[in-house]
């Protein structure tokens, strides 16, 4: 080429790029963005990485940046001669010249992208902050608030179950709906009690995990927040639609809790008995969303999440109990198949969504606005928790003084 690089037009820039092995970017730089010689010499690696150019291949970014740097060096012009004193070029050329007296590793890791030493200091300071020890505060007050939220959700659920009981369709007029599972599984009278026994076993295992886990209050907050939220969703589904009873063995009749005092008394009975048939509580109308499936699934997910990864036997047993618990609900003909499916899906998805955000601080910040809208309690409960809760265990009770003295001796 006869003229100097700063005097090149877009066609000459394209020819130079083809000669240096960058043919596939000729259209992007020369045709779409009108990069002539003067603009080419002012390009930095940062320009190539970011919009509007935004080249995706890292190797091509590095090679093209080095080729432009060599061209600029051969031309021997200062940044003021190239583009009239552009702040971007002054910063780039100053950092490039300074880097000639530094080790090659520092050149490649910092200044080759066009940052000044001040930018690098800020980057190092940010890295130090990111490497600080994660915080996992106990925050008893937040745990009490989450417990209050959970109790409120249970009371509201119990009251809703009482209200929908009055709306149960007449079995003689509205027989059980067709269901592919219930129509093919014979009714087993004792199956529902077995399901509740499975829930008690899983709940006991989870209690042991909570007692021994060092960060038990964080886990408790998450149990209360997630379970309370799922049960509030259950209230909505029960109140919106009333289905006919799923089995002819269920003796349900509407309008037996007519006045408000009868409803409140029944609400307290369901709440104290935890809605379990083992405690003598039998409910009707709470279909569309199986509460027993919610509880068994929640216990299973928390047990498998907060126990060591190498406890394969425990995790397998937990999942087997979860699956059998769901099966026994269907075998008892206490819920439709859609009840169980919806309950399992919503409970598991909400658990995974919550923990994905809680375990990844970057996602938590990116989703901050949406989480505040759809799950406002999340930002409040997780504000002092950094990342994945570690597998740390401790004995919660201190040793008696006489025992401590004995071992010290």
């Amino acid at each position: 080429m006869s003229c100097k690089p700063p005097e090149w037009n877009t066609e000459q820039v394209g020819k130079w790029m083809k000669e240096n092995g960058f043919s596939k970017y000729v259209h992007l730089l020369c045709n779409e963005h009108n990069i002539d010689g003067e603009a080419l010499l002012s390009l930095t690696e940062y320009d190539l990485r970011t919009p509007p150019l935004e080249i995706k291949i890292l190797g091509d970014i590095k090679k093209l940046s080095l080729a432009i740097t060599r061209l600029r060096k051969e031309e021997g012009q200062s940044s003021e001669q190239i583009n009239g004193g552009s702040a971007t070029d002054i910063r780039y050329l100053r950092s490039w010249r300074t880097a000639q007296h530094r080790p090659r590793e520092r050149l490649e890791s910092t200044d080759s992208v066009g940052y000044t030493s001040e930018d690098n200091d800020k980057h190092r300071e940010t890295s130090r902050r990111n490497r600080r020890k994660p915080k996992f505060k106990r925050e008893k007050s937040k745990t009490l608030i989450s417990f209050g939220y959970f109790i409120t959700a249970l009371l509201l659920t119990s009251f809703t179950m009482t209200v929908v009981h009055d709306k149960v369709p007449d079995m003689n007029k509205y027989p059980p709906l067709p269901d592919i599972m219930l129509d093919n599984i014979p009714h087993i009278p004792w199956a529902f009690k077995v399901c509740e026994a499975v829930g008690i076993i899983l709940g006991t295992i989870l209690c042991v995990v909570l007692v021994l886990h060092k960060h038990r209050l964080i886990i408790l907050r998450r149990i209360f927040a997630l379970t309370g939220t799922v049960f509030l969703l259950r209230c909505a589904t029960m109140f919106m639609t009333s289905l006919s009873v799923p089995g002819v063995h269920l003796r349900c009749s509407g309008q037996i809790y007519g006045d408000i005092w009868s409803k409140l008394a029944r609400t307290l009975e369901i709440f104290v008995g935890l809605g379990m048939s083992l405690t003598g509580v039998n409910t009707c109308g709470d279909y569309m969303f199986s509460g027993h499936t919610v509880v068994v699934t929640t216990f299973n997910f928390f047990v498998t999440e907060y126990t060591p990864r190498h406890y394969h036997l425990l995790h397998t047993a937990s999942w087997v109990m979860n699956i059998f618990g769901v099966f026994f609900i269907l075998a008892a003909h206490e819920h439709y198949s859609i009840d169980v499916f919806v309950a399992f899906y919503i409970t598991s998805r909400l658990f995974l969504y919550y923990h994905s955000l809680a375990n990844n601080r970057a996602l938590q910040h990116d989703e901050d606005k949406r989480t505040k809208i759809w799950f406002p309690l999340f930002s409040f409960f997780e504000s002092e928790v950094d990342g994945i809760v570690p597998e740390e265990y401790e004995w919660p009770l201190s040793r008696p003084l006489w025992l401590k003295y004995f071992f010290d001796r």
Side-chain angles (χ1 to χ4, degrees):
M1 300 182 187
S2 57
C3 56
K4 295 183 178 181
E7 300 173 357
W8 289 349
N9 56 30
T10 56
E11 293 180 358
Q12 291 170 311
V13 170
K15 183 178 179 181
W16 175 83
M17 293 182 65
K18 291 178 182 178
E19 292 174 352
N20 286 271
F22 304 108
S23 303
K24 59 182 175 181
Y25 298 115
V26 171
H27 178 76
L28 174 66
L29 271 68
C30 301
N31 298 343
E32 291 187 19
H33 296 285
N34 296 323
I35 300 296
D36 56 10
E38 186 177 6
L40 177 68
L41 292 173
S42 70
L43 286 179
T44 66
E45 185 175 329
Y46 179 80
D47 296 327
L48 301 176
R49 290 175 179 270
T50 57
L53 295 179
E54 202 172 4
I55 296 176
K56 301 295 185 182
I57 302 175
L58 179 60
D60 291 349
I61 293 174
K62 292 289 186 181
K63 292 176 183 178
L64 182 55
S65 176
L66 291 174
I68 295 174
T69 301
R70 285 195 297 268
L71 183 65
R72 187 186 296 117
K73 186 178 179 181
E74 292 171 0
E75 179 60 20
Q77 293 183 334
S78 68
S79 57
E80 291 82 2
Q81 290 174 316
I82 294 173
N83 66 347
S86 166
T88 302
D89 281 21
I90 293 172
R91 184 177 68 176
Y92 184 92
L93 290 176
R94 186 186 297 126
S95 62
W96 183 83
R97 288 167 183 160
T98 305
Q100 304 307 306
H101 304 287
R102 299 180 185 176
R104 180 174 179 82
E105 291 79 5
R106 294 188 63 185
L107 170 63
E108 293 177 350
S109 62
T110 57
D111 294 319
S112 63
V113 296
Y115 292 143
T116 63
S117 59
E118 182 181 354
D119 295 327
N120 293 329
D121 291 339
K122 291 180 180 178
H123 177 72
R124 285 192 291 270
E125 179 63 27
T126 302
S127 298
R128 280 195 296 269
R129 286 199 301 268
N130 291 336
R131 289 196 299 268
R132 75 185 190 281
K133 185 178 180 180
K135 55 183 179 180
F136 299 98
K137 295 186 178 180
R138 294 177 180 267
E139 298 183 289
K140 296 180 181 179
S141 59
K142 288 186 179 180
T143 305
L144 288 175
I145 293 173
S146 66
F147 178 71
Y149 171 71
F150 171 71
I151 293 298
T152 303
L154 288 188
L155 284 171
L156 185 58
T157 300
S158 301
F159 182 75
T160 304
M161 292 169 70
T162 303
V163 171
V164 299
H165 193 124
D166 288 352
K167 300 164 59 178
V168 175
D170 185 6
M171 188 183 302
N172 296 323
K173 189 175 181 180
Y174 300 98
L177 298 173
D179 188 287
I180 190 170
M181 295 294 292
L182 302 189
D183 293 343
N184 292 280
I185 298 177
H187 172 237
I188 304 176
W190 46 263
F192 203 55
K193 288 182 171 59
V194 174
C195 168
E196 293 178 345
V198 168
I200 292 174
I201 295 172
L202 281 172
T204 303
I205 296 173
L206 180 57
C207 286
V208 173
V209 173
L210 287 172
V211 168
L212 298 178
H213 206 289
K214 182 178 180 180
H215 305 286
R216 61 187 67 87
L217 293 184
I218 296 176
I219 303 174
L220 271 176
R221 283 201 299 274
R222 293 178 176 180
I223 293 174
F224 292 146
L226 286 170
T227 308
T229 300
V230 174
F231 271 94
L232 287 179
L233 293 173
R234 185 168 180 256
C235 287
T237 59
M238 287 190 299
F239 187 77
M240 289 177 183
T241 304
S242 296
L243 296 179
S244 57
V245 294
V248 294
H249 65 286
L250 297 172
R251 301 302 175 188
C252 298
S253 59
Q255 304 300 326
I256 64 172
Y257 306 113
D259 61 277
I260 185 63
W261 298 111
S262 297
K263 284 184 171 65
L264 292 177
R266 177 60 175 170
T267 297
L268 186 60
E269 180 184 347
I270 295 173
F271 176 78
V272 173
L274 299 177
M276 298 172 59
S277 62
L278 289 176
T279 59
V281 177
N282 295 295
T283 59
C284 289
D286 54 333
Y287 310 122
M288 285 292 294
F289 204 150
S290 170
H292 284 68
T293 303
V294 170
V295 172
V296 173
T297 303
T298 300
F299 288 167
N300 170 37
F301 272 73
F302 272 96
V303 167
T304 54
E305 177 69 20
Y306 293 103
T307 50
R309 295 293 175 262
H310 62 275
Y311 281 23
H312 303 299
L313 182 61
L314 174 62
H315 297 168
T316 302
S318 179
W319 270 103
V320 168
M321 285 188 283
N322 190 173
I323 294 171
F324 270 91
V326 169
F327 170 77
F328 284 126
I329 293 174
L330 296 175
H333 289 207
E334 291 283 342
H335 280 280
Y336 290 106
S337 301
I338 188 66
D339 303 359
V340 173
F341 175 80
V342 170
F344 179 84
Y345 184 82
I346 291 179
T347 304
S348 59
R349 295 312 97 183
L350 190 58
F351 179 94
L352 295 175
Y353 175 63
Y354 189 104
H355 282 77
S356 294
L357 292 177
N359 293 343
N360 193 318
R361 298 295 294 180
L363 285 177
Q364 191 175 134
H365 291 309
D366 292 342
E367 299 284 338
D368 191 50
K369 292 183 179 179
R370 278 184 282 187
T371 53
K372 286 182 178 178
I373 295 173
W374 295 106
F375 203 163
L377 290 178
F378 174 85
S379 300
F380 175 67
F381 288 144
E382 301 296 330
S383 60
E384 299 297 329
V385 179
D386 282 346
I388 300 174
V389 175
E391 295 177 358
E392 298 175 351
Y393 302 90
E394 63 180 9
W395 183 251
L397 303 176
S398 58
R399 290 184 298 175
L401 291 178
W402 66 268
L403 188 61
K404 182 176 183 298
Y405 176 74
F406 175 80
F407 280 105
D408 287 345
R409 289 186 61 187

